């Protein structure tokens, strides 16, 4: 457990910055996924802030608060190919 971490999911070209506190730390569990009180996601298909995030390593959101500010990039200018962001 830690108060901050960055997870990079190469298959989805996603950078996820996780932050927490001593009372509510960031947790990373092998073969399961990760969780954090606050997460900022930056990927070609999804961007925004998620509160109380629980996510698998397959880029599947398992749980979060409804008040999260998350959006799909319908007009994305990049796509993910072989772990690299390339222009559309």
């Amino acid at each position: 457990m830690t108060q901050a971490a960055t997870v990079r999911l190469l298959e989805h070209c996603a950078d996820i910055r996780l932050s927490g506190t001593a009372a509510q730390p960031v947790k990373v569990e092998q073969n399961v996924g990760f969780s954090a009180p606050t997460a900022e996601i930056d990927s070609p298909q999804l961007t925004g802030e998620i509160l109380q995030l629980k996510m698998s390593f397959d880029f599947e959101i398992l749980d979060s608060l409804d008040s999260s500010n998350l959006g799909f990039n319908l007009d994305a200018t990049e796509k993910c190919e072989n772990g690299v962001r390339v222009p559309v």
Side-chain angles (χ1 to χ4, degrees):
M1 292 186 273
T2 185
Q3 290 185 23
T6 299
V7 175
R8 175 168 284 162
L9 300 177
L10 292 177
E11 184 177 339
H12 303 282
C13 297
D15 292 320
I16 306 165
R17 287 174 297 286
L18 307 168
S19 58
T21 64
Q24 287 187 300
V26 171
K27 297 176 186 175
V28 179
E29 299 177 66
Q30 289 185 354
N31 301 321
V32 177
F34 46 91
S35 61
T38 304
E40 293 179 28
I41 295 182
D42 179 32
S43 76
Q45 70 266 28
L46 195 64
T47 59
E49 181 180 72
I50 302 177
L51 304 176
Q52 299 302 322
L53 173 70
K54 290 183 184 174
M55 180 177 266
S56 73
F57 290 115
D58 292 330
F59 204 46
E60 178 184 350
I61 297 172
L62 304 172
D63 196 11
S64 68
L65 289 181
D66 291 337
S67 60
S68 297
N69 182 17
L70 186 65
F72 291 97
N73 289 333
L74 300 177
D75 298 321
T77 59
E78 298 176 312
K79 63 180 178 177
C80 186
E81 284 187 6
N82 300 316
V84 177
R85 292 181 184 204
V86 296
V88 176

